[in-house]
Amino acid sequence: MEEASVTQRGVSSRTERKAQERAQILQRENQRKTFKLVSKILKKSELERTPEDAAVLQLHEDTVSELCKRQIRQNSLKRKQEEVFDSAEDLQDKVQRLAAAVRQARHLVVYTGAGISTAASIPDYRGPQGVWTQLQKGRAVSASDLSEAEPTLTHMCIRALQRQELVQHVVSQNCDGLHLRSGLPRHALSELHGNMFIEVCASCSPAREFVRLFDVTERTAPLNWRGAAAAAERADLILCLGSSLKVLKKYTCLWSMSRPASRRPKLYIVNLQWTPKDDLATLKIHGKCDDVMRLLMKELDIPIPAYHKTEDPIFSLATPLRPDEESSHTRKVLAPPAGQEECVQGSTGQAGGTAVQGGWFGRGYSKGRKRKKQPST
């Protein structure tokens, strides 16, 4: 009798569970139908709605409220993705204000994003034709050879400003190596997402870096994070160029958020789209980086140097591969300028590589190197 009772309770439990599952499925289906119906009615103008439509909306007020909230969020997101351009007059006025701030700054740090490299035919991420934007729309993203790119006008302007001691440090999210190739000194540069031409030997102790003449993206890593944090700590002015700041905003040490608002560095942003730091900015300039920097250099009366491949420091910094390493990569090698082939081949570059100066959050690269467990005795 006991066994029969247990079996009966088990059957009853399964029946109840299946009934609940069916009820949940029906509820979800009814919700979908309700959302579809209400959405269809809301798309009509008020003059087109019938008394029956009005009754449906009144009956499902919660659904109407939810759909209205969704529409507001979608419209807000759409506005944030739109590119906005300042008029020529506004752009000139804003650049004059930026120039005055640059002259007065004691410690100017520049944060750069993908927007400064679009002029070199390198796609950005969140622009209308950006990589993430295209992927979200289900479109294929065409491959681009970053090694074919050369420093843009903005890269060369930043280099000139650093040499004039108007810019003290550059914090870049780009891995295209164009800051390095523009002639910007390594000590004045922090590359938070690495450099496609710098290979990090994590098995070396201490970790060492080697400049190469080909893409070593799989072996790169953040470079000089400690320098970025130190520069942000001293900054009284931060200039953000071509960055959505959606990644950088997460690193509070770059924004001096531990200080009272009145003691934080003044923030100037150059970007065509909304950024999460816009409300905190002293000035937001809606313009292309090259256009803004060209006007800024004119205001500051500083000539813009041209990029010449013969002066590209990567060819003197690179460490040639040893004979047994020649087949260790499949990426295209940068061709040296005409007449410098023998010089590059005979170069020792930074023989043995150089020690990495501060890694991710200043902890070096030990984070990615697992220590072998000592056998128990």
Side-chain angles (χ1 to χ4, degrees), residues 126-141:
R126 294 179 174 86
Q129 304 302 320
V131 174
W132 302 145
T133 304
Q134 297 302 309
L135 290 175
Q136 286 174 351
K137 293 180 178 179
R139 299 174 183 171
V141 178

Side-chain angles (χ1 to χ4, degrees), residues 40 74 111 120 125 135 142 184 192 202 331 342 355 375:
K40 185 177 180 180
Q74 289 174 359
Y111 294 173
Y125 292 95
L135 290 175
S142 58
L184 192 68
L192 305 188
R331 302 299 179 91
E342 293 183 4

Side-chain angles (χ1 to χ4, degrees), residues 100-244:
V102 170
R103 291 191 193 99
Q104 295 170 6
R106 296 185 303 275
H107 199 91
L108 167 57
V109 181
V110 178
Y111 294 173
T112 63
I116 74 165
S117 296
T118 52
S121 298
I122 297 176
D124 59 14
Y125 292 95
R126 294 179 174 86
Q129 304 302 320
V131 174
W132 302 145
T133 304
Q134 297 302 309
L135 290 175
Q136 286 174 351
K137 293 180 178 179
R139 299 174 183 171
V141 178
S142 58
S144 57
D145 187 352
L146 272 62
S147 66
E148 295 287 345
E150 294 182 348
T152 66
L153 180 141
T154 295
H155 288 95
M156 303 310 295
C157 289
I158 294 172
R159 167 197 163 186
L161 291 173
Q162 191 275 333
R163 291 192 176 183
Q164 291 288 328
E165 298 184 351
L166 290 173
V167 167
Q168 277 64 51
H169 202 83
V170 176
V171 180
S172 179
Q173 299 174 80
N174 301 336
C175 64
D176 51 34
L178 295 182
H179 279 304
L180 173 68
R181 299 186 62 189
S182 74
L184 192 68
R186 296 293 306 285
H187 66 81
L189 175 63
S190 295
E191 295 168 298
L192 305 188
H193 296 166
N195 184 316
M196 64 179 285
F197 296 110
I198 297 181
E199 185 174 29
V200 175
C201 174
S203 60
C204 297
S205 184
R208 308 189 74 80
E209 60 184 49
F210 298 82
V211 178
R212 303 297 192 186
L213 293 178
F214 53 88
D215 184 353
V216 294
T217 305
E218 292 180 350
R219 297 183 179 87
T220 191
L223 303 169
N224 197 19
W225 179 269
R226 187 178 294 127
E233 182 64 28
R234 297 180 60 191
D236 61 340
L237 175 62
I238 293 174
L239 173 60
C240 300
L241 296 171
S243 172
S244 69

Side-chain angles (χ1 to χ4, degrees), residues 250-319:
K250 300 175 183 178
Y251 307 134
T252 55
C253 67
L254 294 181
W255 307 102
S256 303
M257 297 305 290
S258 59
R259 300 186 207 169
S262 60
R263 294 182 55 200
R264 293 172 194 162
K266 292 181 179 178
L267 177 61
Y268 286 70
I269 300 174
V270 179
N271 204 60
L272 293 172
Q273 295 175 307
W274 171 90
T275 83
K277 291 290 183 179
D278 285 357
D279 291 341
L280 299 177
T282 301
L283 183 67
K284 172 69 179 293
I285 303 177
H286 297 96
K288 291 185 176 181
C289 293
D290 281 4
D291 294 341
V292 172
M293 294 305 291
R294 186 181 288 107
L295 290 172
L296 176 63
M297 299 300 276
K298 185 177 181 181
E299 284 291 328
L300 296 173
D301 195 24
I302 299 175
I304 303 172
Y307 167 77
H308 297 291
K309 195 171 184 179
T310 54
E311 300 173 1
D312 193 325
I314 196 170
F315 296 105
S316 59
L317 292 172
T319 301

